[in-house]
Amino acid sequence: MGRPQSIGRVPAVRLPALIQDVLLWYDPVGQLRRWARRHGDAFTVRLPAVGPILVLGDPSTARQALLSDPRAAEAGTATGRVLPVLGPACVLRQDGSAHQDRRRLLGPAFHGESLERLRTVAAENAGREIRTWAEGRPIALLPRMQEVVFATMATAVLGIDDSETVQRLHRAITGMNGPSALARTWMSPVGDGAVRSWLSRRSRRRQSRVDAILAPIIDARRSAEPLGGSDVLSLLIGHERDSGSRIGQEAMNDELTALLLAGYETTAAALGWALERLARDPGAARLLAGSVDGQDSRHLDALVREVLRWRPPVLDAVRELTTPMELAGFRVPAGTLVVVAPLLVHDNDGRVDAPDAFRPDRFLGARHRGGRNWVPFGGGRRHCLGAELAAVQMEAVLTEVVSAVTLSPASPCVETARLLGTVLVPSRGSAAVIRRRRAPMHTAARGGGPGQGSPP
């Protein structure tokens, strides 16, 4: 299918593609909002690696795109364009019946009894990590959250908890996010050509390091009797046995790597933003700790929802049109890459006062539970497979943190957002200074949340 060079009469950002790329990386939140103020709720940007992109920020238009017939707006094909670092055989890059079948197969790893087991795993991982934190000096908490969440995802995806193997795999996966990996994302500073080809070859070499760690884990599980387990790898191998058809090694690696990579980055980023906020609002943090001690879940739930509204972990929910479609009053041609921007959708939710203010209390009671304009995990049939697990991990980890320590900001300057692939992360890694609480509570129980919130 040919890709359009322009998108009809949709307002467009008139800057060189490379400049747009740099601006979006350096200040994704501010830049998206500036472009939306200037051009409206539908506008186009152009990036070197993918060309023109239609960005949607109006809630009703976003719902139309997300809920449209998946045969007319393909999420898997679009994901392949913006994140080709994810292998073509993974569930995130599949469409149609192949996606539905794989999603149905993997569902038990992220729902039901698995969730409560993983809640305990996340709390234990967080507790071990927190005990290593030094008091009285700045600590970048985002990398610590990445380690905690990756360890939990290793259990969910691979069914492993061997710390040495998990750490080796984490280092290898992290290597896939380095500068050369940008050549295989929509944020690549170059389009086609020798430079991108060279960077892509480097990225594939880093993928091979991940494959080498996965191979013995897969082989050991294939020979296990009985198989047992509800992790992704066990479910895939169980499917092999039931169907009598072996999944190819490359396809298996694609699936496991994609779920590890996508699953840990987003949840860790959301936790990083939560801790950055709590460090800057000591009153809210004290209230949250008190609520956790009292095992009151309402405030913690409100905090998690507000973090995901205020800084949705991903910049985009993507679709590629296979047929022309009317969106925001424009005739959009087939082949167009459509990006629903959760940040802009949340900004334009008419029920939310001061959308840039961080106010967890807005989610207390029946006044506002998010509803259909709350889309941090996308929407429609492609709603994030691990959305519930992300929320459970946030609850468990935040409970452990506020039970054990108090936080204060390492700098008076509020952290802005940067892009890691398509994930919004705090610019200084959620830097904070910690102090131990005198009577920490060590439990994975769900707890409370802050009251009136903090300024942005």
Side-chain angles (χ1 to χ4, degrees):
M1 178 183 298
R3 293 174 182 167
Q5 295 304 305
S6 62
I7 306 177
R9 296 178 176 272
V10 181
V13 176
R14 303 296 182 184
L15 290 170
L18 181 57
I19 299 300
Q20 294 183 46
D21 199 345
V22 171
L23 291 173
L24 196 57
W25 171 82
Y26 182 74
D27 184 15
V29 171
Q31 198 58 58
L32 275 179
R33 285 173 170 164
R34 284 189 287 273
W35 285 338
R37 285 194 298 268
R38 180 170 182 175
H39 300 293
D41 295 332
F43 58 91
T44 62
V45 299
R46 182 183 296 271
L47 302 181
V50 292
I53 300 169
L54 174 61
V55 180
L56 301 177
D58 173 68
S60 61
T61 308
R63 287 195 301 274
Q64 179 188 350
L66 294 175
L67 299 176
S68 59
D69 187 333
R71 293 170 297 182
E74 295 182 337
T77 303
T79 299
R81 286 178 64 180
V82 301
L83 283 175
V85 68
L86 302 180
C90 74
V91 66
L92 302 177
R93 287 188 57 178
Q94 294 173 342
D95 287 300
S97 60
H99 170 78
Q100 294 173 18
D101 292 345
R102 182 57 60 87
R103 188 182 179 100
R104 192 177 303 113
L105 171 64
L106 302 182
F110 302 103
H111 300 97
E113 293 181 1
S114 295
L115 277 183
E116 292 312 307
R117 176 177 58 87
L118 291 169
R119 182 192 296 277
T120 301
V121 170
E124 292 172 348
N125 290 335
R128 281 192 295 270
E129 170 60 34
I130 293 166
R131 289 191 287 275
T132 70
W133 294 356
E135 289 190 80
R137 58 185 178 87
I139 299 175
L141 294 177
L142 176 62
R144 308 302 181 97
M145 293 298 99
Q146 290 171 337
E147 292 180 9
V148 168
V149 176
F150 188 86
T152 305
M153 289 304 300
T155 301
V157 175
L158 301 174
I160 64 172
D161 58 9
D162 174 65
S163 60
E164 182 179 351
T165 302
V166 170
Q167 289 170 8
R168 287 177 53 233
L169 185 57
H170 187 202
R171 287 194 296 270
I173 291 278
T174 301
M176 295 176 63
N177 294 333
S180 66
L182 288 176
R184 300 181 68 193
T185 76
W186 70 324
M187 294 303 297
S188 172
V190 293
D192 296 326
V195 174
R196 192 177 190 201
S197 296
W198 175 72
L199 290 172
S200 294
R201 287 195 297 274
R202 285 191 62 190
S203 180
R204 284 191 289 271
R205 285 197 295 271
R206 295 185 177 192
Q207 171 70 60
S208 68
R209 298 171 190 168
V210 176
D211 296 345
I213 298 172
L214 290 176
I217 299 172
I218 296 169
D219 291 344
R221 193 66 51 81
R222 279 186 168 135
S223 62
E225 292 291 351
L227 183 59
S230 59
D231 56 273
V232 168
L233 179 56
S234 294
L235 293 173
L236 291 172
I237 293 175
H239 177 70
E240 286 183 335
R241 296 179 180 181
D242 292 342
S243 66
S245 176
R246 189 181 179 98
I247 300 172
Q249 191 68 29
E250 185 173 349
M252 182 73 83
N253 290 342
D254 282 355
E255 191 71 89
L256 300 175
T257 302
L259 292 174
L260 286 168
L261 184 59
Y264 99 92
E265 282 188 336
T266 50
T267 305
L271 282 165
W273 285 116
L275 298 180
E276 192 272 345
R277 290 289 86 192
L278 289 174
R280 296 182 184 279
D281 190 341
R286 283 193 296 270
L287 179 57
L288 176 56
S291 299
V292 164
D293 290 343
Q295 301 188 32
D296 178 0
S297 66
R298 295 170 301 163
H299 296 291
L300 180 58
D301 177 73
L303 173 68
V304 169
R305 287 176 177 271
E306 176 65 352
V307 168
L308 295 172
R309 184 205 67 81
W310 180 73
R311 286 291 180 271
V314 294
L315 190 70
D316 61 328
V318 294
R319 301 290 188 272
E320 182 178 301
L321 303 188
T322 61
T323 61
M325 187 178 295
E326 291 283 340
L327 290 169
F330 299 101
R331 182 71 170 173
V332 183
T336 297
L337 184 62
V338 176
V339 165
V340 171
L343 176 82
L344 298 181
V345 173
H346 295 168
D347 281 355
N348 291 322
D349 186 347
R351 298 171 302 163
V352 175
D353 296 328
D356 194 36
F358 183 76
R359 297 177 181 169
D361 66 305
R362 71 173 94 238
F363 282 98
L364 291 174
R367 291 179 297 130
H368 180 44
R369 300 299 295 166
R372 59 184 184 175
N373 294 340
W374 187 74
V375 290
F377 300 110
R381 298 183 186 182
R382 299 301 292 248
H383 181 78
C384 176
L385 180 63
E388 289 182 66
L389 176 57
V392 162
Q393 288 190 81
M394 290 183 69
E395 293 167 357
V397 173
L398 289 172
T399 295
E400 293 297 311
V401 171
V402 300
S403 298
V405 302
T406 61
L407 305 172
S408 59
S411 167
C413 299
V414 174
E415 297 195 42
T416 57
R418 295 286 188 272
L419 275 180
L420 177 64
T422 62
V423 178
L424 294 168
V425 298
S427 57
R428 294 190 300 279
S430 307
V433 177
I434 73 159
R435 301 289 181 188
R436 300 283 171 187
R437 287 186 67 189
R438 291 185 177 181
M441 177 191 68
H442 300 292
T443 177
R446 295 173 65 181
Q452 299 305 309
S454 60

